[in-house]
Amino acid sequence: MSGTRTGGSTAPDDDDPRRWWGLVIIALAQLMVVLDATIVNIALPSAQRDLGISDANRQWVITAYTLAFGGLLLLGGRIADLVGRKRTFVIGLIGFAGASALGGAATTSGMLFGARAFQGAFAAVLAPSALSLLTITFTDPRERGKAFGIYGALAGSGSAIGFIAGGLLTEYLNWRWCLYVNVPVAVVAVFGALALLRSGPGNAGAHLDVPGVLLGCGGLVALVYGFSEAEPRGWTDPLVLSLFAVGVALVAAFVWWQTRAPQPLLPLHIVKDRDRAGCFLTMCLAVIGVFGLFLFMTYYLQVVLGYSPLRTGLGYLPLTAAIITGSTQISARLLRRVQPRMLMVPGMVLASGGLMILTQMTVHSRYATEILPGLILVGLGMGLTFMPIFATATAGVAPHDAGVTSATVNTSQQVGGSIGTALLNTIATTSSTAYLAAHLHNPAQKALIVREGMVHGYTVALWWAAGVMLLAGLVAGLMVRTKPPAHGPARAPVRQDVRPA
């Protein structure tokens, strides 16, 4: 879509109640994409036994998805701008459902890895289409706050919901249903999208920036792959260093090319905007911290405290409820009246405080008194932060750039998750090893010392995560300066350029 309308278009009906039902469809699709990054985690041991996957290769069940998703997001966002968001939204849903069915029916490890890669590729089309549809549908400040509150709640809590769903499905059905469950959800979303969503026809005269695709997506794939391999191989492994070098070189070449391309994949004015750049960086840093929490708390609850997969999933319920509360009941109500940074900075401080509480956990900690308070604070903080990030980063974007802007938000989230998983896991492993070397003297106490060493590693990593959260708050406070929508936005409002598809 471009500022000049292609073909006739009708003005949107601001009183059309179907917009809110459309939000349900958009939110359903976004939830499916986000939770699929974690729903398989709890089912992974069962899938590994069933398909005979080696310990060295099991990470590819996760990595294949994140690699395709993170690497192809910019391409998916630009395709949505060129082809039309509703069309790419539906294509993404159908492809995601097909890949999920293929993965659920997998008979070999290669079949499962391939299905997860296809899931990630279609998610890279689906996620930016969903966010850009939301951006062009809700422009009134009051409605925009509500809509982005719901979207931010799902984006922040989707991973935790994935753990809950994974525990339920694995315990009462089997691991394959962690993939099959996407099929009925996608079918409902497809029919809902066809009936309820509106979108322009795309920009028929534009062309895809092929060199930009090769350089940008290649660089992102190399970086995400490098962070994924840094976890099992170590940061000084030749392959990891080579991937980082190639990734940085390709991204640098991508930036250079975007200043010269006639129709760039990522127009640089999108990331040069101070408020928007601040949102991207804040998102990346915030997700580093929260992914560390998900990683370590899952192992802590199951391995150290002996929780079942289902009980572990339910342990995340208060965190999920807190994210939803912070996003829909606090941020969504206040964003029209206060600057976005006045929500983002306290949110990151709260989340950091919650992580600091969790650094005090031991092998004998009680969930209700020592774990729950920290989870609630982290959830409230993430809810306060995510909603204004999504709303601010996508505000004032030209309609023909809405898809690629949405993709950039998702890319910062995905890259942050990859960095957080690799970096914090390395810190935890190194700290645990040092603890064991210093304390493992009495063989009779080996089991206890090993558990204490694990918890020590987790707490050290959580201290780092808390520091990263504070850094995210500092970035938000210094860079995001836009005014609240109700007091005159700092940039022009997004013009809805929609027509019934």
Side-chain angles (χ1 to χ4, degrees), residues 188-271:
V188 171
V190 166
F191 283 109
L194 293 174
L196 299 169
L197 295 182
R198 294 168 175 245
S199 172
N203 190 356
H207 299 284
L208 190 64
D209 174 19
V210 176
V213 169
L214 296 176
L215 292 172
C217 294
L220 287 173
V221 166
L223 290 175
V224 174
Y225 187 21
F227 284 118
S228 299
E229 288 296 312
E231 183 180 348
R233 292 175 178 267
W235 292 91
T236 57
D237 182 82
L239 175 63
V240 173
L241 294 177
S242 298
L243 287 169
F244 284 151
V246 170
V248 170
L250 289 176
V251 169
F254 170 76
V255 173
W256 172 82
W257 171 250
Q258 295 308 282
T259 64
R260 291 158 175 79
Q263 294 179 328
L265 177 68
L266 176 61
L268 293 184
H269 66 81
I270 290 175
V271 293

Side-chain angles (χ1 to χ4, degrees), residues 56-130:
N57 289 332
R58 67 183 176 185
Q59 65 157 327
W60 280 101
V61 177
I62 310 299
T63 303
Y65 181 85
T66 57
L67 193 60
F69 187 21
L72 299 177
L73 269 165
L74 284 180
L75 174 60
R78 184 48 93 192
I79 289 175
D81 288 332
L82 299 181
V83 177
R85 295 171 191 88
K86 177 176 174 178
R87 186 177 301 166
T88 53
F89 184 79
V90 172
I91 291 172
L93 283 169
I94 294 172
F96 196 88
S100 299
L102 180 65
T107 56
T108 65
S109 59
M111 187 174 174
L112 179 59
F113 299 158
R116 290 286 286 168
F118 279 120
Q119 274 189 307
F122 283 108
V125 174
L126 183 57
S129 299

Side-chain angles (χ1 to χ4, degrees), residues 193-475:
L194 293 174
L196 299 169
L197 295 182
R198 294 168 175 245
S199 172
N203 190 356
H207 299 284
L208 190 64
D209 174 19
V210 176
V213 169
L214 296 176
L215 292 172
C217 294
L220 287 173
V221 166
L223 290 175
V224 174
Y225 187 21
F227 284 118
S228 299
E229 288 296 312
E231 183 180 348
R233 292 175 178 267
W235 292 91
T236 57
D237 182 82
L239 175 63
V240 173
L241 294 177
S242 298
L243 287 169
F244 284 151
V246 170
V248 170
L250 289 176
V251 169
F254 170 76
V255 173
W256 172 82
W257 171 250
Q258 295 308 282
T259 64
R260 291 158 175 79
Q263 294 179 328
L265 177 68
L266 176 61
L268 293 184
H269 66 81
I270 290 175
V271 293
K272 285 181 179 178
D273 180 275
R274 177 173 176 167
D275 295 316
R276 200 168 288 122
C279 287
F280 295 152
L281 186 53
T282 302
M283 170 65 83
C284 184
L285 293 171
V287 172
I288 288 176
V290 80
F291 261 61
L293 171 69
F294 289 145
L295 177 67
F296 302 129
M297 288 308 301
T298 299
Y299 278 99
Y300 175 75
L301 293 174
Q302 288 197 56
V303 177
V304 178
L305 298 187
Y307 283 20
S308 68
L310 176 58
R311 192 178 178 189
T312 299
L314 293 176
Y316 283 108
L317 264 181
L319 173 71
T320 303
I323 291 174
I324 293 173
T325 300
S327 186
T328 63
Q329 301 304 310
I330 302 177
S331 283
R333 295 175 183 270
L334 293 179
L335 186 60
R336 292 181 292 113
R337 299 179 176 88
V338 302
Q339 291 179 291
R341 63 175 177 159
M342 299 304 293
L343 296 169
M344 296 160 66
V345 174
M348 287 293 88
V349 172
L350 273 179
S352 180
L355 291 174
M356 290 179 187
I357 290 175
L358 292 172
T359 61
Q360 306 305 307
M361 64 188 184
T362 69
V363 294
H364 304 296
S365 291
R366 295 181 181 274
Y367 176 86
T369 56
E370 298 171 76
I371 305 300
L372 181 60
L375 292 180
I376 291 175
L377 283 182
V378 172
L380 285 173
M382 297 306 295
L384 281 172
T385 304
F386 272 10
M387 182 268 170
I389 285 180
F390 284 118
T392 305
T394 57
V397 180
H400 58 275
D401 288 331
V404 74
T405 304
S406 302
T408 308
V409 180
N410 281 283
T411 299
S412 62
Q413 187 176 7
Q414 190 62 37
V415 171
S418 298
I419 296 173
T421 300
L423 176 63
L424 296 177
N425 191 66
T426 300
I427 292 172
T429 302
T430 303
S431 300
S432 294
T433 302
Y435 184 92
L436 292 176
H439 295 83
L440 192 56
H441 305 303
N442 185 354
Q445 295 183 324
K446 181 178 180 179
L448 176 61
I449 297 298
V450 167
R451 288 197 300 157
E452 288 179 345
M454 290 174 60
V455 174
H456 174 75
Y458 299 160
T459 57
V460 171
L462 288 174
W463 273 115
W464 280 87
V468 172
M469 289 284 198
L470 289 178
L471 179 60
L474 180 63
V475 168

